[in-house]
């Protein structure tokens, strides 16, 4: 008689309950993902200003690569679907796409939070804080105008700092790069556009006027 298979690290079951290759593949994938998380954690410990952002980009790059190379719904797979099944190995189980997609979206969300900080400068100025000149009811006083100008200058300074911090982070895949650029811009551009359209119409007084 055939002896029962012993328990293995990736599959504790034995005999008829023992898993097939799928169990081994899951085990390898989880080990790989944990290894990537460990490497990303190392990035956060180097003390640089871009450490956190670099860790998120590292995870996004690798998650995207795994989905493209092994996922059943990747663009790479669609382009080569006429190839022999022996030419490209794919993980067809939904667990793989679900797991890696969830990880990538989580890292994207954390990365985009770095840009969300720009919106703190784009809040509306309370109408109670605005004063207009006595001799020109459409022109803001110098102090009121300064409240708005401070928001514009604060945004510009923060954007420049963020740009300098993130510009050297590498997004390897061109499609992923374009997607992430669009997602970054969607974080603050709509609000900036509304803020700009609202307050560039405001008439500011010159210093010492009124």
């Amino acid at each position: 008689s055939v002896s029962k298979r012993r328990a293995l690290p990736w599959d504790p079951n034995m005999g008829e309950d023992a898993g097939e290759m799928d169990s081994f593949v899951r085990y390898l994938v989880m080990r790989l993902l944990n290894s990537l998380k460990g490497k990303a954690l190392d990035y956060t410990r180097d003390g640089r200003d871009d450490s956190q952002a670099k860790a998120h980009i590292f995870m996004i790059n690798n998650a995207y690569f795994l989905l493209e190379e092994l996922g059943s719904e990747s663009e790479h797979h669609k382009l080569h679907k006429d190839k022999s099944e022996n030419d490209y190995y794919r993980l067809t189980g939904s667990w793989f796409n679900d797991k890696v997609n969830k990880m990538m979206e989580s890292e994207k969300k954390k990365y985009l939070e770095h840009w969300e900080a720009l919106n703190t400068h784009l809040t509306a100025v309370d109408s109670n804080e605005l004063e207009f000149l006595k001799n020109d009811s459409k022109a803001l006083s110098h102090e009121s105008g300064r409240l708005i100008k401070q928001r514009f200058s604060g945004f510009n300074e923060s954007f420049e700092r963020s740009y300098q911090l993130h510009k050297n982070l590498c997004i390897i895949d061109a499609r992923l790069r374009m997607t992430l650029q669009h997602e970054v811009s969607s974080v603050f551009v709509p609000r900036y556009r509304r803020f700009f359209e609202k307050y560039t119409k405001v008439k500011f007084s010159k210093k010492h006027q009124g």
Side-chain angles (χ1 to χ4, degrees):
S1 63
V2 178
S3 61
K4 292 184 178 181
R5 198 202 73 185
R6 64 186 178 85
L8 297 171
W10 58 87
D11 184 11
N13 295 320
M14 296 184 295
E16 294 180 356
D17 293 327
E20 301 297 333
M21 181 60 69
D22 185 57
S23 297
F24 180 55
V25 172
R26 283 178 183 245
Y27 172 79
L28 292 179
V29 169
M30 295 308 299
R31 287 289 299 269
L32 174 59
L33 296 182
N34 287 333
S35 178
L36 292 174
K37 290 177 182 177
K39 178 64 175 177
L41 186 60
D42 288 340
Y43 280 128
T44 67
R45 294 169 175 163
D46 65 13
R48 295 172 44 140
D49 291 339
D50 64 349
S51 297
Q52 290 288 344
K54 183 185 291 186
H56 300 320
I57 293 298
F58 171 79
M59 292 299 293
I60 292 169
N61 273 326
N62 280 280
Y64 185 84
F65 176 81
L66 288 173
L67 289 170
E68 285 296 293
E69 293 301 315
L70 297 176
S72 59
E73 300 176 3
S74 72
E75 289 297 321
H76 183 77
H77 179 51
K78 293 174 183 176
L79 289 173
H80 298 90
K81 62 182 179 180
D82 57 331
K83 299 284 187 178
S84 168
E85 289 296 324
N86 295 326
D87 293 336
Y88 298 99
Y89 180 77
R90 294 284 156 186
L91 294 177
T92 56
S94 61
W95 66 269
F96 176 77
N97 282 345
D98 292 344
K99 181 69 177 179
V100 182
N101 262 316
K102 183 178 180 180
M103 183 182 75
M104 185 168 73
E105 291 305 313
S106 174
E107 295 298 330
K108 273 188 183 181
K109 181 179 179 181
K110 294 172 185 176
Y111 177 71
L112 294 176
E113 287 174 357
H114 291 272
W115 296 93
E116 181 68 38
L118 294 175
N119 287 324
T120 60
H121 302 286
L122 303 176
T123 57
V125 179
D126 194 313
S127 59
N128 294 327
E129 298 182 66
L130 299 179
E131 296 180 358
F132 293 86
L133 298 177
K134 294 179 180 179
N135 60 349
D136 188 348
S137 60
K138 294 183 179 180
L140 287 174
S141 67
H142 172 66
E143 289 301 319
S144 293
R146 191 172 64 170
L147 292 175
I148 296 173
K149 291 178 181 178
Q150 284 176 339
R151 280 168 165 74
F152 275 112
S153 61
F155 173 87
N156 291 338
E157 291 171 4
S158 292
F159 178 82
E160 182 61 26
R161 284 196 301 270
S162 295
Y163 173 75
Q164 292 299 327
L165 195 66
H166 294 256
K167 69 177 183 178
N168 292 324
L169 299 179
C170 180
I171 306 295
I172 299 171
D173 184 88
R175 289 191 303 272
L176 176 60
R177 190 183 315 121
M178 291 181 63
T179 298
L180 200 56
Q181 286 173 343
H182 174 73
E183 292 181 356
V184 167
S185 65
S186 68
V187 170
F188 63 88
V189 169
R191 184 175 292 189
Y192 180 82
R193 185 177 292 118
R194 292 192 298 270
F195 188 85
F196 181 85
E197 290 174 351
K198 179 177 182 178
Y199 289 110
T200 53
K201 298 175 183 178
V202 175
K203 183 179 179 181
F204 296 98
S205 67
K206 293 181 180 180
K207 192 174 182 180
H208 304 312
Q209 181 181 350

